Amino acid sequence: MMIHDVTAMAGTYKTRKRLGRGRGSGHGKTSGRGTKGAGSRTGYAARRGFEGGQKPLFRRIRKYGFSNVAFDTPFWIVNLRDIVAHKMFAKGGMVNAEALIKAGLIRDTSRDLKILGDLGDAKTLGIKLEITASRVSNPARKAVLDAGGSVRETGTRRDRVRGVDRNAEDRSPKKLTKKLKRSKPRAAVGASGESAS
C-alpha cells in the first residue's frame, strides 16, 4: 500500500457527529451549542467578523487603501534668507538646482526646487539674483524682481501635463481634462447669471 492510497481513502468512512442523543454520547443536553444566548437557538446566523458586539478585528487593525500621498509633488524648499546668507551668493549670481547643490543647500535633483520669500530680518533683497527653479513663491518673485534680478519657473511635471505656464500672468491650465471641459459651460452660465432657457 502506498501513501497516496491511504490519503485518497482518508475520511471516507468517518461517522457523522450525532447530536442530542443523551449525555452518554458526549453531545447530549446542549448538543455542542454551549449554554443559552442567540447561538444556542435555531435560525441563528452571525455576520462574518461579528465578535459579540465588541469592536471587531477588521476595525481594530491598521487600515490600508487609497491615499493621495502617492500623487504629492515633493519639493526641495529653500528660503531667500538662506541663499543670501551663503558666501557663494553674497554678490548675487545664478541660482538654480546645480548651484544650490554645490552650496550644500539642497541634496540632489531628485525633487523639484521651490524658492520661498522669507528674508529673515532684512526688509528687502540687496543683491541681484537670477533664479531658475520649478516653483517660486509670489513674495520671493516680487523681492527678486524689485532688486533687479530675474525669475524663471520651469514648472513641475504636473504643470507640464496640465499645460500651465508658470511664467505667464494667466496660470490656468490649458490642457483641460474631459471632466473640466464638461463642467466649464455650466460654470460659465452660473457666472453670467443667465439661465439655459
Side-chain angles (χ1 to χ4, degrees), residues 17 19 26-41:
K17 184 190 290 187
L19 303 176
H27 303 292
K29 193 173 179 288
T30 52
S31 303
R33 287 174 173 261
T35 57
K36 302 183 181 178
S40 68
R41 270 61 164 168

Side-chain angles (χ1 to χ4, degrees), residues 25 73-74 76 86 97 108 110 145 152 159 167 188 195:
S25 69
T73 303
W76 292 122
H86 199 280
D108 51 35
S110 63
L145 294 178
R152 187 173 75 87
D159 293 329
N167 299 301
S195 62

Side-chain angles (χ1 to χ4, degrees), residues 129-180:
L129 297 173
E130 298 176 14
I131 294 179
T132 303
S134 299
R135 292 278 181 90
V136 179
S137 70
N138 289 334
R141 176 184 286 273
K142 184 176 184 307
V144 172
L145 294 178
D146 288 348
S150 64
V151 174
R152 187 173 75 87
E153 294 186 56
T154 58
T156 62
R157 178 184 175 278
R158 177 174 174 150
D159 293 329
R160 291 189 288 275
V161 168
R162 299 178 73 208
V164 177
D165 184 4
R166 299 291 305 176
N167 299 301
E169 299 223 354
D170 180 18
R171 296 181 184 177
S172 60
K174 303 302 185 290
K175 298 176 184 176
L176 298 178
T177 62
K178 290 182 180 178
K179 187 174 182 181
L180 288 173

Side-chain angles (χ1 to χ4, degrees), residues 62-187:
R62 183 181 172 191
K63 306 301 184 292
Y64 295 87
F66 180 79
S67 173
N68 277 324
V69 172
F71 302 99
D72 190 22
T73 303
F75 287 98
W76 292 122
I77 304 293
V78 182
N79 273 291
L80 284 179
R81 70 165 185 266
D82 299 322
I83 296 172
V84 172
H86 199 280
K87 61 184 179 181
M88 273 186 61
F89 308 106
K91 296 181 180 179
M94 184 79 71
V95 177
N96 54 29
E98 289 73 22
L100 293 175
I101 292 170
K102 192 173 179 182
L105 294 176
I106 64 174
R107 189 179 301 166
D108 51 35
T109 56
S110 63
R111 302 181 187 179
D112 290 310
L113 172 63
K114 185 168 186 177
I115 307 294
L116 300 183
D118 185 7
L119 289 167
D121 296 331
K123 299 286 185 184
T124 58
L125 184 65
I127 56 176
K128 186 177 178 181
L129 297 173
E130 298 176 14
I131 294 179
T132 303
S134 299
R135 292 278 181 90
V136 179
S137 70
N138 289 334
R141 176 184 286 273
K142 184 176 184 307
V144 172
L145 294 178
D146 288 348
S150 64
V151 174
R152 187 173 75 87
E153 294 186 56
T154 58
T156 62
R157 178 184 175 278
R158 177 174 174 150
D159 293 329
R160 291 189 288 275
V161 168
R162 299 178 73 208
V164 177
D165 184 4
R166 299 291 305 176
N167 299 301
E169 299 223 354
D170 180 18
R171 296 181 184 177
S172 60
K174 303 302 185 290
K175 298 176 184 176
L176 298 178
T177 62
K178 290 182 180 178
K179 187 174 182 181
L180 288 173
K181 283 181 179 176
R182 199 180 305 124
S183 62
K184 191 175 179 181
R186 201 175 299 164

